[in-house]
Structure formats: C-alpha cells, structure tokens
Amino acid sequence: MARAPQGSQEDREKSKNIRALTGLARFILPYRGLALAAVAALVLTACVSLVLPMAVRRVVDNFNSEDVQILDQYFLAALGIAGLLAIGTALRYLLVTLLGERVVADIRKAVFDRVIAMSPAFYEKIMTGEVLSRITTDTTLILSVIGSSVSIALRNILILIGGLILMLITSVKLTSLVLLIVPAVIVPIIVLGRRLRVLSRENQDLIAESSGNASEALSSVQTVQAFTHEAPSRAAFASVTEDSFRSARKRVKTRSVMTAIVIFLIFSGINGVLWIGARDLRLGDITAGELVQFVIYSVMVAGAVAALSEIWGELQRAAGATERLVELLNAKDEVQDPENPVALPQAEQGTVSFENVTFHYPSRPAQAALQSVDLHVKPGETVALVGPSGAGKTTIIQMLQRFYDPTSGRILLNGVDLRDMARSDFRRAIALVPQEPVIFASTARENIRFGWPEATDAQVEAAAKAAAAHDFLMALPEGYDSYVGERGVMLSGGQKQRIAIARAILRDAPVLLLDEATSALDAESEQAVQVAVENLSQDRTTLIVAHRLATVKQADRIIVFEGGQIVATGTHDELVAQNGLYARLARLQFTEGLAAE
C-alpha cells in the first residue's frame, strides 16, 4: 500500500512559530470565567510559594532568640502558608484540568463537524486515518498542554519573575551574579528550540501517517488476507512506524541535550553564587536567614527555568498539533453552500437536468470524466445508465448529489441549479442505494433507520419487507435488533444490499438513485427486490446504473455512456436495433447470461 503524502518540509517549517497556539483562543474564550479562575488560583499558589522562603528566613534568624513565642508564631505562619499552597495547588489542578477537558472536547467536535461535511475531493488528498490521528493524538497533546503544561509554565514564569525580584531585594550583589548566567541559559534554549519545533511537527506527521496506514489495512483486512498481503502490509506499517520512532528519537535527544545544558549551567552558576554568599556570611555582610532565603529563591528560580525549558518542548509539540488541527478547521472545501440558498421547489417532484456538463476529477485534471453531457429526466421517469466501466455512469450519480461541482455547465433539480441550494436541503429529496452498500456497526434496525432517523419500528419493518429483507432479519438471533458488526461483516453481500435498499425505501424521497443496486443478490432475492424497486419507482424519478437485463429493460429510457459522453439514447428494443455499443453490451452481458441460466 502506497503511503499518502504527508506534510512537506515547508509545512513543517511552520512549526517554528509557537504563536500557532493562539489558534486555541477561540475555543478557550467561551470559558473565560473558568480560565480566569484557574489563573487566579495559579497566581495565588505562585505568590504563596514566594512568601514561604521569607517565613523560613525569620525562623532561621530567630533560632537563637530567647522569645520562644515568636519562634512558635513563625512556625505556625509557615504551616499556614503550606496549607494555602496545598489548597491553591489543588484548586489550580481542578480548574485547569476541567478547562483542558472542555476545550479539547469542543475541538474534537469542531474538527469532526468540519470533516464530516467535506466533499469527496478533500479525501482524495488526505487519508481518513490521518484525520482520525489529528482528532485523537493531536487533541491529546493539546489536552496535556492546556490541562498541565500551560498552567505550570505560567506558574514558573511568575516564580521566575517574583523570585528574581525578591532575590534582588535580599542581595543585590548575589542577584547580579546570578543574572550573568541568564544569557548562557537562554542561548541553548533558542538554538535547540528551533530544531525541536521542526522535529515535533515532523514526528506528529509521521504518527498520523502510521495511523492512516494501519486504518487502511485494517479496514480492508479480508482483502489483505485473501491476497496473502499480510507480510507487505506489516512491512509498510513497520517502515512508517520506524520512521516515526527515528523522528521521535531525534526529538527526544535534542530535548535531552537542551535540558542537560540548561540544568548544568543553572546549578553551576548557583553553586558559584553560593560560594560567594558563604564568604559574605563569614564577613558579616549577610545574615544566615538572608542567605538561606536567597538560596531557596535561587533554587526556585533555577527550577522554574529548568521546568520552562522542558515545558517549552511540550508547547512546541502542541503548537505543531494545533497547526494540524487548524489546517483541518480552515481547509477549503471545493464544494460550498451559497450564502443565501434557494429552497428546493416542490411543484415538480424530481425533475433532473444536466445542461452541457463537463467534469474533471480533481486528482485527474487532464482527463474528462464527463464531456458535454445533456440529460433531462422528467418527474416519475425511470432512466437506466449503461456503458463500460469508467464511462461516467457513477459520476452522474455523484454529481447529482453534488459531491463535486461541474467544471462547466449546470445540474438542476426541479429547475434550480444545485449550486444555488443548500446541500442538506436538496439531498433530502434524494435516496441512494450505492454499488457497495455501507453498513454501520449497529443493529439492523438502526441501519435501516439511517435513511430516516425519526421512523417508527413499524415503518422500518415495512421498508424491510418491501426490500425482501424481513425474512432474513427475523431469522437473526435478535431479529431487527441484532448487531451486524463493523461494515456489516456478519451479513452476506446480498443481505447488506437489501438493508441498503430498505434504507432508501424508508427515506421515501422523490428522486431515487440506484447504483448497481441488485448486483450482489441471488436470482430469487433479485426478483423480489426488483418488484419492490419497480413499485417504489412508479411515482419517483429514478436513475439506475445497472448491467442486468431485467433492470435495464424495465426503464423508460436507456442512456448509453462511453468515454464520459452520451453516445445513444432509446428503449431496449430501439438500441438493440441500432446495433451499436448497447447491442454489443447486450449480447455480451445479457444474452449470454440468459443462455447460461
């Protein structure tokens, strides 16, 4: 299986911009109250942490005091500060975690809402597995950042700034020496941080590619096994997974080196400063309590810088994840609803018109799938579309649902251009039975009800009877409430097709699209379904893509396609008499089939 194209180097360079995290602002703003409360708790804990060394200083300086009561008060004050710190920290954790969970849930819903409405052209460029990876893996990263890293980063920034100010108040001399270390610490953070951002984006891209590869193989596992393709599939997945590991290894090594350098520089500098402070203590330039206070602040500031250097890496990864999610949210769909959609007229039930329609699939711009197609289907008319594979028959079905827009020309339903209506509006007037029936991992009843979610059980069962599905559904262990498995793996091809037909019957739409609807049925089931389809199509506009003689002969008109163009139109007898492409197809597909029967 070929790999889907992933983020280019140019795309990955975008992850140098940590400001990508601002893309989360629109999801946080609705919960600004919760966010402000979290920030307040965060500020409280930072301030309490900064006050604690002052209490320790008082205790140390009063160790030799004869007034035991003062010493007790200082110890009680220190205990009270510790209690405030515990409460504030717990409150901060509660608020930021709730905020993170809420925001990530909203992001997941927003991304899914966006991609579920994207036209098929979008999925020609990206694997569904990668989309799922972005919804799961990338949002998990963002949850980690919002629910933990950001609050820890803000707290450490406050401790860093406050600690430096209090260090300066405690000893200007020692603080000045500490500040000399800062440039040496910032340089590796900036230099290695740039490399880390690129590697973080690359790693996320490869994780998504790995997920896409696995999703593709597992969704077609029977085909993989039938063609004994397990070994190549394992090799392809192993290859992309190893690429992901190698990228992660480079990212982890870079981050480890950065962390080691920063921590060594910080604590080496503090060690030197303490050496000077110890000498000042001996000379009486500073008290023991002041030195202890300065040491604690130094450790707090050093810890804050070290924590920020580590959190910086997490923020960079989250920035890459945010970019990828924002890309999905901002992805431009080739098919757009108009700003002021026109309502579908109901005066004419199911008038379909193609006016000089030419169309190229986005992935094949040089090859016309349809070329100058003119087609008019009257209300209640049944039209069969026939022709060799790749002639454009299924493309007609897809374009009538506006999965794609024509390169030129117009497609009208009830006299209105599809591009002038909301897709959700006119699609309600269309029922589809696809060539490959789609069965969802639910019960048989809910699969049929998919065509009309508000339908009653009686209506569902009536549709199943009309599609010749009732008998086999009742024979299942739990009848209509039997679980049919992912993609209907517990059903035969014919059973899945009959459920798909029942779904279309239940929808009761004025336009019916049948794309090889009876291709997977046995002769007996086909006859039963054919009667149901004929009854269903009597007062509906019906477009049928079919090869079987019984289906095609019953059509009011047969349209013959070849090379994306209409090459003949007429009834079965008229087209056979013309002795053209249709007559040749009839001899090959129909006459021989009848002889075989």
Side-chain angles (χ1 to χ4, degrees):
M1 275 168 278
R3 293 186 189 178
Q6 297 296 316
S8 64
Q9 185 64 29
E10 181 181 352
D11 291 333
R12 290 168 186 157
E13 290 291 332
K14 293 178 185 176
S15 61
K16 286 185 176 181
N17 187 2
I18 199 72
R19 285 176 298 185
L21 287 172
T22 58
L24 300 176
R26 59 174 148 164
F27 295 100
I28 296 175
L29 281 176
Y31 310 104
R32 59 178 70 86
L34 186 59
L36 289 173
V39 170
L42 186 149
V43 172
L44 172 66
T45 55
C47 291
V48 170
S49 298
L50 291 169
V51 170
L52 192 58
M54 295 182 185
V56 174
R57 170 189 170 182
R58 297 290 183 184
V59 170
V60 172
D61 282 344
N62 286 277
F63 266 145
N64 298 321
S65 174
E66 294 181 1
D67 190 346
V68 178
Q69 188 175 2
I70 293 177
L71 192 61
D72 291 343
Q73 288 174 353
Y74 284 136
F75 270 109
L76 285 173
L79 185 62
I81 291 171
L84 277 175
L85 183 62
I87 294 171
T89 302
L91 190 60
R92 173 183 62 84
Y93 171 78
L94 174 66
L95 294 173
V96 297
T97 302
L98 284 177
L99 178 64
E101 293 285 358
R102 180 66 269 171
V103 167
V104 166
D106 287 352
I107 291 173
R108 284 177 174 154
K109 288 192 292 185
V111 173
F112 183 79
D113 289 349
R114 178 64 177 157
V115 297
I116 196 68
M118 295 295 282
S119 63
F122 173 77
Y123 292 98
E124 291 182 15
K125 304 169 186 175
I126 188 170
M127 295 176 70
T128 53
E130 180 174 350
V131 174
L132 292 174
S133 174
R134 295 190 188 191
I135 293 175
T136 53
T137 307
D138 289 355
T139 51
T140 300
L141 267 178
I142 291 172
L143 174 61
S144 172
V145 167
I146 297 176
S148 175
S149 300
V150 168
S151 67
I152 293 173
L154 291 174
R155 180 174 178 272
N156 280 289
I157 288 171
L158 290 174
I159 289 176
L160 174 62
I161 296 171
L164 285 172
I165 292 171
L166 292 170
M167 285 168 64
L168 194 62
I169 293 171
T170 306
S171 172
V172 175
K173 176 185 175 181
L174 295 179
T175 305
S176 299
L177 293 172
V178 168
L179 291 177
L180 292 175
I181 308 168
V182 173
V185 175
I186 291 176
V187 169
I189 290 177
I190 293 174
V191 173
L192 294 175
R194 287 180 179 173
R195 173 67 176 158
L196 195 58
R197 282 191 291 273
V198 176
L199 290 173
S200 296
R201 173 63 189 254
E202 180 184 72
N203 188 217
Q204 287 304 109
D205 283 341
L206 289 168
I207 289 172
E209 184 178 352
S210 176
S211 297
N213 186 290
S215 175
E216 183 182 42
L218 293 176
S219 64
S220 308
V221 67
Q222 291 185 6
T223 303
V224 170
Q225 293 173 359
F227 285 89
T228 59
H229 202 272
E230 294 95 333
S233 295
R234 290 190 188 106
F237 181 75
S239 175
V240 69
T241 303
E242 284 301 312
D243 287 345
S244 173
F245 169 72
R246 282 189 287 270
S247 174
R249 184 171 57 190
K250 287 190 288 184
R251 174 179 57 79
V252 170
K253 283 183 178 179
T254 302
R255 184 171 171 179
S256 299
V257 169
M258 182 176 75
T259 302
I261 292 173
V262 169
I263 291 176
F264 177 77
L265 289 172
I266 288 173
F267 285 98
S268 296
I270 289 176
N271 186 59
V273 170
L274 290 179
W275 176 69
I276 294 172
R279 293 173 64 87
D280 288 346
L281 178 63
R282 292 176 62 87
L283 294 172
D285 294 336
I286 190 172
T287 68
E290 288 174 334
L291 181 58
V292 170
Q293 178 177 307
F294 187 85
V295 169
I296 296 174
Y297 281 133
S298 298
V299 172
M300 290 175 69
V301 168
V305 173
L308 287 171
S309 69
E310 289 193 23
I311 291 169
W312 188 247
E314 290 296 324
L315 293 176
Q316 289 156 350
R317 292 188 70 197
T322 302
E323 277 180 351
R324 290 156 52 81
L325 289 167
V326 169
E327 283 173 4
L328 287 182
L329 290 170
N330 296 338
K332 183 180 178 182
D333 198 350
E334 299 293 332
V335 178
Q336 297 279 351
D337 283 340
E339 290 186 11
N340 299 303
V342 176
L344 175 67
Q346 298 300 324
E348 294 182 87
Q349 288 291 316
T351 302
V352 174
S353 297
F354 282 67
E355 296 181 352
N356 197 30
V357 171
T358 296
F359 171 66
H360 300 76
Y361 281 101
S363 58
R364 301 190 296 273
Q367 179 182 357
L370 295 177
Q371 184 68 48
S372 302
V373 171
D374 283 295
L375 174 63
H376 182 76
V377 184
K378 295 177 291 186
E381 187 178 18
T382 298
V383 173
L385 312 178
V386 302
S389 297
K393 308 181 299 296
T394 298
T395 303
I396 291 286
I397 300 294
Q398 290 181 323
M399 299 202 70
L400 185 53
Q401 297 168 90
R402 205 186 168 210
F403 290 151
Y404 302 92
D405 280 335
T407 308
S408 62
R410 298 194 307 163
I411 303 172
L412 297 92
L413 181 60
N414 289 0
V416 180
D417 194 322
L418 296 184
R419 288 171 291 198
D420 294 332
M421 295 182 284
R423 287 168 290 175
S424 59
D425 184 18
F426 71 77
R427 283 176 183 167
R428 290 193 187 96
I430 299 173
L432 169 71
V433 181
Q435 184 173 1
E436 297 181 6
V438 176
I439 304 298
F440 298 93
S442 183
T443 64
R445 188 186 305 279
E446 291 308 310
N447 266 283
I448 296 173
R449 189 177 272 133
F450 194 87
W452 181 23
E454 297 80 17
T456 64
D457 288 349
Q459 290 169 322
V460 168
E461 292 178 17
K465 290 176 182 176
H470 179 75
D471 290 343
F472 86 79
L473 288 175
M474 291 302 295
L476 294 175
E478 297 178 48
Y480 280 79
D481 295 314
S482 298
Y483 179 72
V484 296
E486 185 180 8
R487 292 177 289 110
V489 294
M490 300 170 69
L491 302 174
S492 70
Q495 289 173 333
K496 288 190 284 188
Q497 193 68 281
R498 277 179 276 177
I499 286 179
I501 292 170
R503 182 187 296 161
I505 291 172
L506 183 65
R507 192 165 178 81
D508 194 25
V511 178
L512 180 63
L513 306 179
L514 304 173
D515 191 357
E516 295 287 1
T518 60
S519 60
L521 303 181
D522 57 74
E524 184 177 356
S525 296
E526 181 187 5
Q527 184 177 10
V529 170
Q530 191 62 49
V531 172
V533 168
E534 288 173 11
N535 292 333
L536 180 65
S537 61
Q538 281 181 359
D539 55 350
R540 288 171 176 78
T541 304
T542 308
L543 271 70
I544 303 172
V545 174
H547 293 114
R548 298 214 180 180
L549 180 60
T551 305
V552 173
K553 286 186 71 175
Q554 296 300 322
D556 298 318
R557 267 191 304 154
I558 299 170
I559 311 295
V560 185
F561 280 84
E562 185 176 24
Q565 295 178 301
I566 295 176
V567 295
T569 302
T571 64
H572 172 73
D573 293 336
E574 291 170 349
L575 291 172
V576 169
Q578 292 176 14
N579 201 28
L581 173 61
Y582 179 83
R584 190 163 67 252
L585 291 173
R587 284 193 295 272
L588 289 172
Q589 299 176 22
F590 305 149
T591 310
E592 292 178 7
L594 286 174
E597 293 175 5

